[in-house]
Amino acid sequence: MKNILVTGGLGFIGSETVVCLIEEGYTPIIIDNLYNSKKAVLPRIKEITGVLPKFYENDVTDEDALRKIFKENKIDGVIHFAGYKAVGESVQKPLEYYSNNLISTLKLVKVMKEFGVKNLIFSSSATVYGLPKRVPVTEEDELNEATNPYGETKFMIERILGDISKADPSFNVALLRYFNPIGGHPSGLLGEDPNGIPNNLLPYISQVAIGKLDHLNIFGDDYDTPDGTGVRDYIHVVDLASGHVATLKKLETNPGLVIYNLGTGKGTSVLEMVKAYEKANNVKIPYEIKPRRAGDIAANYANVDKAKRELGWVAKYDIVQACLDAYNFQKKNPDGIK
Ligand code: NAD
Ligand code: UDP
């Protein structure tokens, strides 16, 4: 495999993966409609890698635009990052979430089939485990009901792609269940750049660190966890990116449908993360304890044995490195990527 179509390739995880693909000798081709990213990411990718990837400013739900891309490039595999991802917003705008996330995937697979492209990596999420019965979760654990439309789209797309692969075993699909991606490129050129007030923990902490936000609100300190705050598996985005390259290599063996957790295997509480960030960057993160956030669970972290065994992949960076890189990105881009 050489030419990899990357949908959503200018976003947080997509751009980092594009860098990793170039460094590993692949040729990424990006399609992104700039819904949640900036065109300025493209020259930054060039600054890091020396390569300006081919970019199509199109919507993945646009079948004709997809056909044009597949006609103009001999695509060997696809990594499908494009989608809407804000949990809270998905409760307010379910129609938009179901439409964008489902239709983009259906059109993409349709056009892949038309062009005989048989390798697909899909960005799934730990959210498909819902409220897990035990942690760490393995890929074989049961999937539980999602608490929001965003999670439902991931669950539904996993099902759809599973059925497609079952009907045509020569169609290789990897469902990658990401845990909590954080950090950014060590250069400070790429990172998480949310619109408005961040929903996720790390970008929120980073904005407190540079004084853009006054304090962090910690959502609940009465969970059944060692210090009462929520526990998650935070994975450095550069590790997540390399997990995609390892998965492409796996798809070359024609495995049919494969599913992997991409995490570190370690749980970190909100308070531990605040302390790690303060120590790594020598900053103060004031916080207030607030009531639990609706839909949150106490703890979720990954069993990562399967990815290690079958992909030869493990996360290399710890949360300290991720805190350094997140702060570096925030300092260099106080108002986001311009
Ligand atoms: P992101 O919003 O930064 O990137 C998604 C990109 O897709 C954006 O650049 C956006 O402009 C583009 N896009 C959205 N809809 C599109 C469409 N119809 N056509 C073309 N482009 C479109 O998000 P991210 O954090 O990089 O996440 C990438 C994927 O990983 C998403 O599918 C997300 O659901 C999944 N995921 C993310 C996390 C996380 O915490 N960041 C966790 C688990 C799974
Ligand atoms: N969290 C918090 N304050 C915030 C954002 C998040 O206390 O401003 C907590 C949240 O309750 C959860 C953890 O941080 O325990 C990770 O939340 P995030 O939204 O980043 O990821 P997810 O909930 O999707 O795993």
Side-chain angles (χ1 to χ4, degrees):
M1 270 197 263
K2 174 137 180 59
N3 296 332
I4 309 298
L5 180 65
V6 184
T7 79
L10 294 185
F12 171 45
I13 308 170
S15 58
E16 206 68 64
T17 303
V18 165
V19 166
C20 193
L21 287 168
I22 294 169
E23 285 168 349
E24 295 291 325
Y26 292 88
T27 304
I29 293 138
I30 299 171
I31 171 171
D32 200 307
N33 64 0
L34 304 181
Y35 173 83
N36 196 33
S37 54
K38 312 264 167 47
K39 215 170 170 175
V41 167
L42 214 50
R44 291 179 177 219
I45 292 172
K46 180 166 184 214
E47 200 176 328
I48 295 169
T49 63
V51 174
L52 187 67
K54 209 168 186 184
F55 168 58
Y56 291 87
E57 186 179 333
N58 286 115
D59 199 299
V60 184
T61 61
D62 180 346
E63 225 174 292
D64 291 332
L66 285 176
R67 273 195 198 94
K68 184 169 179 284
I69 298 173
F70 280 78
K71 247 184 226 141
E72 288 179 7
N73 305 275
K74 197 208 148 289
I75 304 291
D76 301 308
V78 179
I79 307 180
H80 182 33
F81 291 107
Y84 296 163
K85 65 161 183 178
V87 171
E89 187 186 59
S90 78
V91 179
Q92 310 305 321
K93 300 180 173 175
L95 184 58
E96 285 86 340
Y97 272 69
Y98 285 114
S99 300
N100 190 46
N101 292 5
L102 291 170
I103 294 171
S104 64
T105 309
L106 295 173
K107 300 276 187 192
L108 179 66
V109 176
K110 184 177 177 205
V111 176
M112 284 176 73
K113 284 190 153 278
E114 278 175 31
F115 285 80
V117 179
K118 289 178 177 276
N119 299 297
L120 174 66
I121 296 179
F122 173 65
S123 298
S124 188
S125 164
T127 191
V128 296
Y129 295 112
L131 179 62
K133 290 217 167 67
R134 59 180 176 132
V135 283
V137 287
T138 74
E139 291 82 348
E140 284 68 44
D141 286 350
E142 70 177 294
L143 305 187
N144 295 297
E145 204 184 324
T147 50
N148 55 76
Y150 165 72
E152 283 294 338
T153 68
K154 294 296 177 193
F155 177 81
M156 288 177 184
I157 295 167
E158 282 208 1
R159 276 283 164 84
I160 291 168
L161 294 176
D163 286 344
I164 290 169
S165 172
K166 216 182 282 167
D168 174 6
S170 73
F171 192 77
N172 302 307
V173 178
L175 307 175
L176 297 184
R177 295 178 180 156
Y178 311 153
F179 281 69
N180 291 57
I182 58 168
H185 194 269
S187 62
L189 288 166
L190 301 175
E192 205 168 354
D193 181 20
N195 287 322
I197 296 188
N199 294 305
N200 293 110
L201 181 63
L202 250 283
Y204 202 106
I205 291 180
S206 293
Q207 295 200 10
V208 173
I210 63 158
K212 225 179 147 181
L213 293 169
D214 176 62
H215 67 276
L216 170 71
N217 295 309
I218 295 186
F219 300 137
D221 67 350
D222 56 352
Y223 283 107
D224 184 15
T225 59
D227 65 22
T229 64
V231 168
R232 298 288 185 276
D233 186 339
Y234 296 93
I235 174 169
H236 197 297
V237 67
V238 171
D239 277 325
L240 196 57
S242 74
H244 291 75
V245 174
T247 305
L248 282 178
K249 298 203 164 97
K250 176 73 180 179
L251 292 186
E252 280 174 357
T253 67
N254 291 316
L257 178 73
V258 287
I259 305 177
Y260 299 105
N261 286 340
L262 295 187
T264 64
K266 286 190 203 77
T268 302
S269 75
V270 178
L271 279 173
E272 284 170 336
M273 186 56 94
V274 169
K275 286 195 192 101
Y277 199 100
E278 290 185 327
K279 189 158 173 237
N281 295 307
N282 196 21
V283 291
K284 195 86 204 109
I285 307 295
Y287 64 82
E288 288 176 16
I289 304 294
K290 289 281 156 70
R292 294 180 179 193
R293 184 171 67 178
D296 268 0
I297 56 174
N300 196 10
Y301 53 97
N303 177 310
V304 289
D305 293 348
K306 194 176 173 203
K308 185 176 180 190
R309 199 171 57 240
E310 297 190 13
L311 303 178
W313 171 91
V314 282
K316 286 198 293 209
Y317 301 109
D318 58 10
I319 57 164
V320 176
Q321 188 61 47
C323 289
L324 288 167
D325 292 331
Y327 185 51
N328 185 32
F329 175 78
Q330 189 67 61
K331 269 189 308 182
K332 290 190 172 145
N333 306 274
D335 297 313
I337 294 174
K338 294 275 174 221

